[in-house]
Amino acid sequence: MDAQSLYDLSPLARLMLMGVVVALGPLAWVWLRNRQASPARRLRALTLLTLFLTFDLVLFGAFTRLTDSGLGCPDWPGCYGNASPVGAHAEISAAQSAMPTGPVTHGKAWVEMIHRYLATGVGVLILTLAVTSWLQRKHNQGGVPISPWWPTATLVWVCLQGAFGALTVTQKLFPAIVTLHLIGGLVLLALLCAQAVRYSQAQDERVPVPLKPATRWLLGATFAAVVLQVTLGGWVSTNYAVLACNEFPTCQGSWWPYMDFRQGFELWRHLGMTADGEHIGFAALTAIHYTHRLFAYAVFVALGLLAWRLHRLEPLRTQARWIAGLALWQFATGLSNVVLDWPLVAAVSHTGGAAALVVVLTWSLFASRTALDTVSASNLSASRLSA
């Protein structure tokens, strides 16, 4: 396929229609269950459902990547210029006959296109959230008005995420772009989670839980560390470096195996190649894997400490339990990837655990506030009332 045919927009309208069809089910479910509810309650329900479906989309994206289906349809946004693999049957059959285990097969094409259908459906739901929030922006419940800016920012971000999805295909799984696409999905989860927390606070007339500055700092630092660790994990996965170390806790029989960090963390290069066009060395893959493993130890300790600190606060005990449970889940699935030779279930579960951690930490951040800020806000409100 030549460079000009990598982008074929002829099936775009049909794909958008497919996204509307995918979104109609969730929209109808929210409307039926919340017909008599307030606008804030309906927005909260739709945001939570969109968050859930976006989480599923991240998992299916991991499944797409791990089954090598990312190039199942080598053009964008359709499949050989068609809206589904059915219309591209001849082209896919020819590619599969020429290379039976290659990137293009009927099964891989369907996995890739289902991923695109789901992504388009989520985009329609986010567009609905943005439009509805603008229409209801003057509504006020519990003293907290509905802000259209969060859904608008989410809509802009999902459009950028779609662009990265297109580049993932047309740039032939360029590692930096694939990793950024993964991180973009997690940012989307965080944006939706933040909105869901705000709507819940508005509906229940709750204020953020005051935290001591040290605990609040620990929460923010742990969130940043998890994001960095997920980025490292994405770099491991997109470079297929998981099996560079197939034992634990050592790697290749050593506590410090031979590693090439310069080559391993050379960001702008094609898959399996260096920037100079040479094949990437095994020492580089080892450096990628072992860096992710070493940093995981620090993140695991930080998550444990954070869970212990939050568990001492009654309003945040649910988040504390989730953080502790997900930390253990990540340890178990990460270890399974190493000692069981990267089974698909463990690999997808590991990505799911990382996405869930981002959601729970975002939930904790927006459900809390530094105690000093809370006191200051209370004093300000009291001053205004007395005035």
Side-chain angles (χ1 to χ4, degrees):
M1 179 169 288
D2 56 46
Q4 287 72 30
S5 59
L6 289 175
Y7 293 97
D8 188 343
L9 301 181
S10 56
L12 183 60
R14 285 170 289 169
L15 283 169
M16 293 175 66
L17 179 60
M18 180 64 73
V20 172
V21 171
V22 171
L24 280 177
L27 287 171
W29 185 82
V30 169
W31 183 80
L32 288 172
R33 288 182 59 89
N34 298 275
R35 281 176 293 180
Q36 307 301 322
S38 65
R41 185 178 179 87
R42 287 196 296 270
L43 278 170
R44 178 198 179 197
L46 182 56
T47 302
L48 284 171
L49 184 57
T50 305
L51 173 62
F52 173 75
L53 294 175
T54 303
F55 181 84
D56 293 339
L57 178 62
V58 170
L59 286 183
F60 198 82
F63 177 80
T64 302
R65 182 178 70 256
L66 293 165
T67 55
D68 294 324
S69 301
L71 297 179
C73 290
D75 57 333
W76 189 90
C79 194
Y80 289 99
N82 295 275
S84 83
V86 174
H89 182 83
E91 291 88 346
I92 296 172
S93 296
Q96 186 171 338
S97 298
M99 192 180 297
T101 59
V104 179
T105 66
H106 287 285
K108 292 178 180 180
W110 273 110
V111 170
E112 171 64 7
M113 288 308 299
I114 289 173
H115 177 60
R116 296 183 193 180
Y117 297 151
L118 292 175
T120 308
V122 167
V124 171
L125 292 175
I126 292 174
L127 175 62
T128 303
L129 283 171
V131 172
T132 303
S133 64
W134 276 103
L135 294 175
Q136 299 291 338
R137 66 187 182 278
K138 295 182 180 180
H139 179 78
N140 188 306
Q141 178 172 330
V144 181
I146 292 175
S147 171
W149 296 110
W150 277 98
T152 302
T154 307
L155 178 61
V156 172
W157 189 263
V158 81
C159 292
L160 291 174
Q161 183 69 350
F164 271 112
L167 289 172
T168 296
V169 175
T170 58
Q171 294 299 316
K172 307 300 182 185
L173 305 182
F174 204 86
I177 293 174
V178 176
T179 302
L180 287 173
H181 189 50
L182 169 63
I183 299 305
L186 299 183
V187 171
L188 193 57
L189 286 173
L191 287 169
L192 290 167
C193 180
Q195 293 166 68
V197 173
R198 290 304 191 208
Y199 287 134
S200 296
Q201 291 170 339
Q203 179 183 331
D204 301 333
E205 300 186 36
R206 288 184 287 106
V207 296
V209 179
L211 296 180
K212 293 180 179 179
T215 303
R216 182 71 175 173
W217 181 89
L218 176 62
L219 176 56
T222 303
F223 181 85
V226 166
V227 171
L228 177 56
Q229 176 67 355
V230 173
T231 304
L232 290 171
W235 193 244
V236 171
S237 179
T238 55
N239 283 281
Y240 297 90
V242 175
L243 299 181
C245 299
N246 58 1
E247 56 189 44
F248 182 86
T250 59
C251 176
Q252 300 168 20
S254 172
W255 289 100
W256 193 259
Y258 177 66
M259 293 176 280
D260 186 342
F261 290 96
R262 182 193 63 78
Q263 196 178 84
F265 290 93
E266 190 175 40
L267 301 182
W268 204 249
R269 55 177 175 77
H270 289 282
L271 179 62
M273 309 296 290
T274 67
D276 297 330
E278 301 177 356
H279 288 287
I280 192 169
F282 189 70
L285 299 179
T286 303
I288 295 171
H289 178 113
Y290 211 56
T291 299
H292 177 61
R293 183 188 294 190
L294 291 176
F295 196 64
Y297 299 144
V299 173
F300 187 81
V301 171
L303 288 169
L305 179 58
L306 177 64
W308 174 69
R309 294 289 293 268
L310 295 183
H311 194 266
R312 298 164 64 186
L313 301 169
E314 179 66 32
L316 296 177
R317 282 185 179 171
T318 299
Q319 290 93 321
R321 293 181 184 124
W322 271 104
I323 290 170
L326 287 170
L328 293 173
W329 177 265
Q330 287 302 89
F331 178 80
T333 54
L335 182 61
S336 298
N337 281 328
V338 172
V339 300
L340 299 179
D341 292 333
W342 204 19
L344 180 61
V345 172
V348 174
S349 298
H350 198 57
T351 300
L357 269 175
V358 170
V359 170
V360 174
L361 289 171
T362 303
W363 177 20
S364 303
L365 279 168
F366 281 84
S368 63
R369 185 186 298 270
T370 304
L372 182 62
D373 292 344
T374 303
V375 172
S376 300
S378 300
N379 291 338
L380 179 61
S381 299
S383 300
R384 288 176 177 175
L385 288 173
S386 61

